Amino acid sequence: MVSSELVTDRRQRPLQVLRLSLTARCNLACSYCQPDHREVSGLLSQSQRLALIEACCRLGVRSLRLTGGEPLLSDQLEPLLEAIRLRRQQPGDPLSQLEEVALTSNGLLLDQARAERLRRAGLDRITLSLDGLDAGVVAAMAGLPEVGEAGSRALAAVREAIVVAREVGFDPRLGALKLNSVIQRGRNEDQLLPLAAFARDQGLELRLIEFMDVGHRNGWSGDQVMPAAEMLRQLQAVWPLEPLGRPAGGTARRWRYRDGAGVVAMIASVSEPFCSDCNRARITADGQLFTCLFASTGLNLRPWLQPHPDAESLVVALRDHWSARIDRYSEERSLQVQTDPERADMAYLGG
């Protein structure tokens, strides 16, 4: 019998956050992600997903984020959330250790009824994505036709998703509703201040993300990265800020607006790497474990999941793989970017 334990890797980083992908499909084709709209074969079953969540909780995971692709495309999202909710309520169940269950979505499918179902099923937090407030920019960033109404419809859908998420109880004042924006030089850097003004008006924490070299199809180059320091200077010139820092294991460095209009955050994986305390594991929709967002290959977990999950062997496999982890790609980017093999794409990894 394998007992519960806290596991650390070779750099003494604990396993605390699990990002579990439900699908590789997406209804957008964002320039920084470039999904191919195809589903992977061999999607995990609900029992397999729950077995993976349980094994990770036994090794120290306290935060679960459900991702895609676009997770709202999965018809298994609500049943999985409900199963997790019931187990979180059981004293002694490994899932009772989960402090939060979160979701990352582009918001296009989040209407009132869906938001209510997600809330009832036990979802604690939603992070929505929006990369501009100009319809043409939204279309360009999302891979939509730049002529016609596609950009306007997408922008309206995300705005409405923010409204309905708040109405059903995802309170941004409690951190239960946030907004992600990737800022890419040459594409949407002119949207930085409008997005910040919008988030301030909505009472949302805006998380500004540097354009990252995830995968091999987004045409990444360093000159397209708008560093967090530059974003901060532009914001400071309009709205004075005071630093709140970055919590251990967190991805975002946060600042408070001095006028009391909320918080803004930066995820600066390129210019200010945070590999030193990275505590996140990613499991793809077909059961591959990745211990770095920039990895090329993962560990296939299916041998411990089929024909039925083997709980004890699964814990051992996860523990051994995490214990051997040495990943710190962002800190070594300048040495590796020219020689790395093709890396897994963001839509497959779950971002």
Side-chain angles (χ1 to χ4, degrees), residues 8-328:
T8 57
D9 67 10
R10 289 170 60 182
R11 301 184 185 279
Q12 302 307 306
R13 296 171 294 188
L15 172 58
Q16 295 178 317
V17 178
L18 173 62
R19 299 180 66 104
L20 180 63
S21 177
L22 303 185
T23 176
R25 292 185 300 131
C26 191
N27 49 349
L28 297 178
C30 296
S31 58
Y32 45 84
C33 182
Q34 290 293 307
D36 58 16
H37 302 292
R38 291 180 297 177
E39 187 61 276
V40 294
S41 61
L43 286 177
L44 297 173
S45 67
Q46 178 158 296
S47 64
Q48 290 171 334
R49 292 184 181 116
L50 288 168
L52 288 167
I53 296 168
E54 176 180 332
C56 289
C57 286
R58 288 176 59 178
L59 292 171
V61 160
R62 296 295 182 270
S63 175
L64 171 65
R65 182 181 290 269
L66 301 176
T67 69
E70 171 49 54
L72 294 183
L73 288 172
S74 172
D75 61 4
Q76 295 302 301
L77 173 58
E78 284 90 338
L80 179 61
L81 282 169
E82 181 64 25
I84 294 169
R85 183 185 68 82
L86 292 174
R87 293 190 57 177
R88 289 176 77 187
Q89 296 173 347
Q90 301 300 316
D93 190 302
L95 272 65
S96 68
Q97 299 173 157
L98 285 173
E99 296 170 0
E100 71 163 9
V101 177
L103 178 80
T104 302
S105 171
N106 61 38
L108 268 62
L109 300 176
L110 189 66
D111 58 17
Q112 180 86 27
R114 194 76 185 274
E116 289 175 349
R117 293 201 302 272
L118 293 174
R119 191 64 175 168
R120 286 197 304 269
L123 186 66
D124 298 312
R125 180 159 64 88
I126 294 180
T127 301
L128 299 174
S129 298
L130 181 63
D131 299 321
L133 290 168
D134 174 86
V137 173
V138 169
M141 293 294 290
L144 298 169
E146 295 182 44
V147 295
E149 298 299 318
S152 296
R153 288 196 297 270
L155 178 56
V158 180
R159 285 178 174 269
E160 181 62 17
I162 292 169
V163 172
V164 299
R166 191 196 311 265
E167 287 178 348
V168 304
F170 294 102
D171 190 343
R173 295 170 299 181
L174 302 177
L177 180 61
K178 298 182 181 182
L179 193 64
N180 276 353
S181 300
V182 175
I183 303 298
Q184 186 175 351
R185 195 186 299 280
R187 295 186 69 94
N188 71 331
E189 73 266 39
D190 63 335
Q191 298 297 291
L192 171 62
L193 294 179
L195 283 165
F198 173 73
R200 281 167 51 88
D201 180 66
Q202 294 291 314
L204 297 171
E205 178 174 325
L206 175 66
R207 292 153 53 93
L208 297 162
I209 304 171
E210 293 179 343
F211 177 42
M212 295 181 290
D213 50 331
V214 181
H216 62 280
R217 297 190 300 175
N218 66 8
W220 185 90
S221 65
D223 60 4
Q224 295 175 295
V225 177
M226 189 172 188
E230 184 176 340
M231 292 191 243
L232 182 62
R233 284 194 296 271
Q234 290 197 22
L235 293 173
Q236 286 269 32
V238 182
W239 304 288
L241 295 161
E242 56 186 20
L244 296 175
R246 180 179 69 85
T251 59
R253 193 175 300 277
R254 304 168 75 237
W255 284 263
R256 178 189 294 117
Y257 291 106
R258 290 187 182 274
D259 64 3
V263 172
V264 66
M266 311 272 179
I267 299 177
S269 178
V270 178
S271 66
E272 301 173 23
F274 38 84
C275 302
S276 62
D277 58 1
C278 176
N279 59 5
R280 291 170 297 287
R282 294 170 171 83
I283 297 178
T284 65
D286 58 350
Q288 304 290 319
L289 170 66
F290 285 81
T291 55
C292 180
L293 180 59
F294 304 95
S296 300
T297 58
L299 173 68
N300 181 12
L301 297 172
R302 299 193 74 88
W304 299 280
L305 293 170
Q306 56 190 20
H308 305 289
D310 182 340
E312 306 308 326
S313 296
L314 186 57
V315 170
V316 171
L318 288 164
R319 182 197 64 201
D320 290 351
H321 194 70
W322 187 270
S323 297
R325 175 186 186 236
I326 58 171
D327 304 305
R328 58 186 189 103

